[in-house]
Amino acid sequence: MLNDVLTPPAPRDTSREDSVSEIPAAASWSAQVLSETGDAVVDLRESIRAKLTFALGVAPEAARPRDWFAATALALRERIVAAAMAAERTVPNKRVYYLSLEFLIGRLMSDAMNNLGLTETTRAALRELGVDLDAVQDSEPDAALGNGGLGRLAACFMESMASIGIPAIGYGIRYDHGLFRQSFEDGWQREAPETWLAEGNPWEFARPGATYTIGFGGTVTMSSPGEGVIRRHWHPAETVRAVAHDIPVVGWRGRHVNRLRLWKSEAGEPVDLARFNGGDHVGAVAARMRAEAISRVLYPSDSSAEGQELRLRQEYFFTSASLQDLVARHVAERGDVRSLPDHAAIQLNDTHPAIAVPELMRILMEDHDLSWEDAWHVTTNTLNYTNHTLLPEALETWPVELMERLLPRHMQIIYLINWMHLEEQAKHGRQGSTDAAAYLASISLIDESHGRRVRMGHLAFHGARRVNGVSALHTDLMRSTVFAPLHALDPDKIVNKTNGITFRRWFHNANPGLTRLAVETVGAGVLDDPELLRGLEAHAADPAFVARYASVRRQRKEALAKVVTERTGIDIDPDALFDVQVKRIHEYKRQLLNVVETVALYQAIKAEPHRDWTPRVKIFAGKAAPSYVQAKLIIKLACDVAKAVNDDPEVAGRLKVVFLPNYSVSLAETIIPAADLSEQISTAGMEASGTGNMKFALNGALTVGTLDGANIEIRDHVGADNIFIFGLDAAGVQARQAEPDYATRAIQASPRLAAALDMIAAGRFSPEEPDRFRPLTDDLRQRDQYLLTADFDAYWRVQRSIDAAWRDKRSWWAKAIRNTARMAWFSSDRAMREYAEEIWRVRLG
């Protein structure tokens, strides 16, 4: 009954005259949504008033915007419940269960209103109450349930499954504080807890009836209920409770509603009364604090043994609760657990839920008395695994000692799976050959090369029916690199499913002006079928259409400029080229390449101040993991460069640099429609796909990027003339990395790069601490793992070609329009249909 939806207020005009819901087709839909008789606006107005008064206990004259938001959300939620309950009463032939440690759903109100066709009805209802809808939407906090592309993809997929009618339940953790709220103190990232639940979440339903016990530690015993039959029984030393909270996700036009089920951790007993009465008031609640820590914060630092243990506890906690829940549902609906593969498809979103393989085996054998063979058949025909990265740091491995201590029964199951797996391969003639040991080590679920560790990626691969990459390049690299030995054993297991984005959020909601223009140009059918965007291409040379397209961008740029001023105090010119790189801060994503090129551009402008430079605003946003020292230093460098550049009168009007704090879904909806240039410059072969690249291109930003991830497929769809590609490809990266001293030679061959690095290293941007950025420049000179030096000159050249392209406005806007027109294939609806047909074996109506 629930699923995932989002909401944010992208830079809005106060008039909102470009609202998508004012489009006739959408407006007529709005009138159909309410089953009640009478005026829809009056009905919703009175519902909001009643929720404010009787559910929240607040008088209208005393209500804050946050109160009006909660009341409006409750009124809208009420209109979702009927469809949700109808979905619950219908048992589908097959249901998808999507397990993800992140769901970056952001704000939910705009998605709910848009998908129900109630945006203008809600606006009018609030207006009659003397309340502004924009202020109400702005008071909704972003749900702190994710961090980056992994979580945002899960959110897009959940919305698309609801929109195209795939029955689904998403499973995750109800984090109290999510990742962190980012601020800057003199350019240094500072982290504070997110408080998104401080005033409750009106979208959710607490489900105390759906509570499951999760065990940790303890011992395993054996019994023999019959001759030749051995049963093992796990006796956990510690248990916590997983309590369900459901968020409904309404699909497009309200036709279908799924659910997002999030687990909150609780102690079995809130307080140890004996200890409390004995005077140990702190110790009496220690067990409660330990249990509740599981759902407290997203991604606890794993730099300590305690952090690693908490991370593993989180992953097992939500995976076990989800599997217990879905198996119980299946048994209640179908009776026989052996038919689970026929009626359920479980998708593991990256390696975080990989513990599902032994946990599902445990549940089937211990709770439902299946034999090993039957349990393995059910498990390997129900589970599927999406890999999102080839980086070793993200292909999780856990110390065997930790697993044996925390999950002793699961280690027994993993050992047996591995033994049977290796024995099977040994039978195929590998034993006795000189490379036998190396081969078996490469396919083993246990890595013994640097201490004994469980390879969670290998475990997920071995236990899944299908394993998929998320772009064509990424999938090919999966087959030829990290999973090559396993791929050779089962060549049909790995398939490609290129990511997609939901157009309802990233086009309709984020850019209503452009959506309105598309509807007026190619018809209202484009709201249901994004392939109709192709019709815009015929107008790429029409001066009237181009002027309107450019006007929409100008409005979004003005709105973003206002946000930049409010949040940073920096004024930026909407007539300048808005050059945007917003994403998680990581060395392979190469924000540092962008910053170093900014320094080189600054030097060039200073050297030739009278040259006709293309005005450019460089906009950064993104969070660095709290323990990721290099990434935090990159943020500091970007902020220090920004201060120097922005304060220099010689470059005024030609270059500005901005780093916006606390990047979020709602901030992305403000930034993306305002971008002219989209920076997708990761080291080739290291970005699995990316979805930000899709959002920018859909909204008409031109991409500058490497041949990495989905950039390749975007180039193939929008056309090579409408994208700016530079640098080494994945094969070139591998070849260059094999060359000794490639960074030294690259710097020696590039006076411009050398000068920029010298300026940074000499303390020009940190005079109070001249050696502050030496760790960055020394790393580039000595190691340069991500080949910034190798790609720098190509990056500089392509940026100067972009300067020239920006000056030819007619050509630029034609390219932008073609990007919007040709991006329909990157809809997450398309991706979900492919998953349904080729992985989940779910029939669509």
Side-chain angles (χ1 to χ4, degrees), residues 135-324:
V136 169
Q137 291 187 93
D138 285 338
S139 69
E140 180 179 9
D142 278 59
L145 299 173
N147 175 34
L150 178 81
R152 185 49 239 171
L153 181 79
C156 283
F157 280 7
M158 290 300 296
E159 195 275 349
S160 276
M161 282 190 275
S163 289
I164 66 176
I166 297 175
I169 296 176
Y171 284 115
I173 295 179
R174 182 183 180 268
Y175 300 105
D176 294 332
H177 302 297
L179 190 65
F180 58 84
R181 184 172 68 254
Q182 180 195 55
S183 61
F184 295 140
E185 183 179 312
D186 190 29
W188 289 106
Q189 174 178 289
R190 296 292 181 250
E191 301 98 22
E194 279 284 4
T195 55
W196 75 289
L197 289 172
E199 297 192 47
N201 178 12
W203 298 110
E204 74 180 7
F205 296 87
R207 303 292 192 197
T211 298
Y212 298 91
T213 300
I214 314 299
F216 297 101
T219 59
V220 180
T221 61
M222 291 189 300
S223 66
S224 180
E227 187 174 348
V229 178
I230 296 177
R231 296 290 185 198
R232 288 176 171 79
H233 310 277
W234 181 26
H235 307 281
E238 175 193 0
T239 59
V240 300
R241 301 179 346 132
V243 183
H245 291 70
D246 289 347
I247 297 177
V249 186
V250 59
W252 178 233
R253 301 203 184 279
R255 297 189 187 108
H256 190 82
V257 180
N258 284 332
R259 83 175 70 176
L260 177 60
R261 173 158 282 188
L262 304 174
W263 301 105
K264 177 177 173 58
S265 58
E266 295 182 355
E269 296 293 339
V271 62
D272 184 335
L273 279 177
R275 295 183 70 176
F276 189 89
N277 292 331
D280 185 5
H281 302 147
V282 175
V285 295
R288 174 184 172 186
M289 295 300 100
R290 179 174 168 81
E292 292 180 355
I294 293 174
S295 60
R296 190 77 73 196
V297 176
L298 170 67
Y299 293 152
S301 173
D302 57 5
S303 58
S304 66
E306 294 81 5
Q308 290 183 33
E309 179 173 331
L310 179 54
R311 178 78 168 268
L312 180 56
R313 284 165 65 89
Q314 285 185 330
E315 294 181 0
Y316 177 66
F317 165 80
F318 104 90
T319 301
S320 176
S322 304
L323 292 177
Q324 290 184 62

Side-chain angles (χ1 to χ4, degrees), residues 6-19 107-111 113 119 123 132-140 505 508-513 555-560 562-563 566-567 666 669-671 673:
L6 270 141
T7 284
R12 300 187 183 80
D13 301 325
T14 55
S15 66
R16 295 292 285 177
E17 60 187 8
D18 59 356
S19 171
R107 295 168 170 171
L108 295 177
M109 181 173 284
S110 67
D111 264 11
M113 291 187 302
T119 301
R123 185 181 302 281
D132 176 56
L133 174 61
D134 297 346
V136 169
Q137 291 187 93
D138 285 338
S139 69
E140 180 179 9
R505 174 166 289 269
H508 300 180
N509 288 351
N511 205 340
Q555 292 171 15
R556 308 332 294 169
K557 292 174 77 172
E558 289 174 352
L560 175 57
K562 181 180 178 182
V563 169
E566 291 172 349
R567 299 194 182 188
S666 54
E669 290 174 295
T670 299
I671 293 172

Side-chain angles (χ1 to χ4, degrees), residues 661-817:
N662 207 37
Y663 187 52
S664 63
V665 175
S666 54
L667 184 56
E669 290 174 295
T670 299
I671 293 172
I672 288 171
D676 298 307
L677 186 67
S678 163
E679 297 270 355
Q680 308 296 330
I681 59 176
S682 53
T683 309
M686 296 189 182
E687 184 74 84
S689 170
T691 55
N693 46 8
M694 303 171 191
K695 296 160 193 167
F696 280 105
L698 174 64
N699 284 277
L702 304 190
T703 301
V704 55
T706 52
L707 288 173
D708 194 27
N711 288 353
I712 298 171
E713 289 154 284
I714 291 175
R715 177 201 60 182
D716 294 343
H717 280 81
V718 306
D721 292 338
N722 303 301
I723 190 172
F724 299 98
I725 298 295
F726 75 96
L728 299 170
D729 60 12
V733 165
Q734 291 182 349
R736 186 63 59 88
Q737 287 175 328
E739 298 175 7
D741 300 323
Y742 62 83
T744 300
R745 288 183 285 104
I747 294 170
Q748 290 173 345
S750 176
R752 195 181 306 278
L753 171 59
L757 294 180
D758 288 344
M759 185 180 231
I760 295 169
R764 168 62 177 81
F765 302 104
S766 56
E768 73 284 5
E769 188 183 347
D771 292 335
R772 175 183 295 154
F773 300 116
R774 284 275 186 178
L776 297 177
T777 57
D778 287 352
D779 182 80
L780 292 177
R781 288 182 168 123
Q782 297 166 12
R783 188 173 65 123
D784 190 20
Q785 178 181 358
Y786 300 104
L787 284 86
L788 184 154
T789 59
D791 278 347
F792 178 82
D793 280 349
Y795 184 56
W796 172 269
R797 287 192 297 271
V798 78
Q799 290 288 9
R800 304 294 73 78
S801 72
I802 290 167
D803 287 340
W806 177 253
R807 289 192 285 270
D808 183 354
K809 288 299 172 45
R810 184 166 64 175
S811 174
W812 182 279
W813 289 117
K815 293 176 187 291
I817 291 166

Side-chain angles (χ1 to χ4, degrees), residues 623-683:
K623 297 178 180 180
S627 60
Y628 193 169
V629 175
Q630 288 289 88
K632 296 176 84 168
L633 195 57
I634 290 169
I635 292 177
K636 174 59 173 169
L637 175 60
C639 291
D640 284 354
V641 169
K643 187 175 187 304
V645 169
N646 298 340
D647 290 346
D648 193 330
E650 278 195 305
V651 298
R654 284 164 285 195
L655 179 63
K656 280 206 172 179
V657 183
V658 173
F659 204 118
L660 280 164
N662 207 37
Y663 187 52
S664 63
V665 175
S666 54
L667 184 56
E669 290 174 295
T670 299
I671 293 172
I672 288 171
D676 298 307
L677 186 67
S678 163
E679 297 270 355
Q680 308 296 330
I681 59 176
S682 53
T683 309

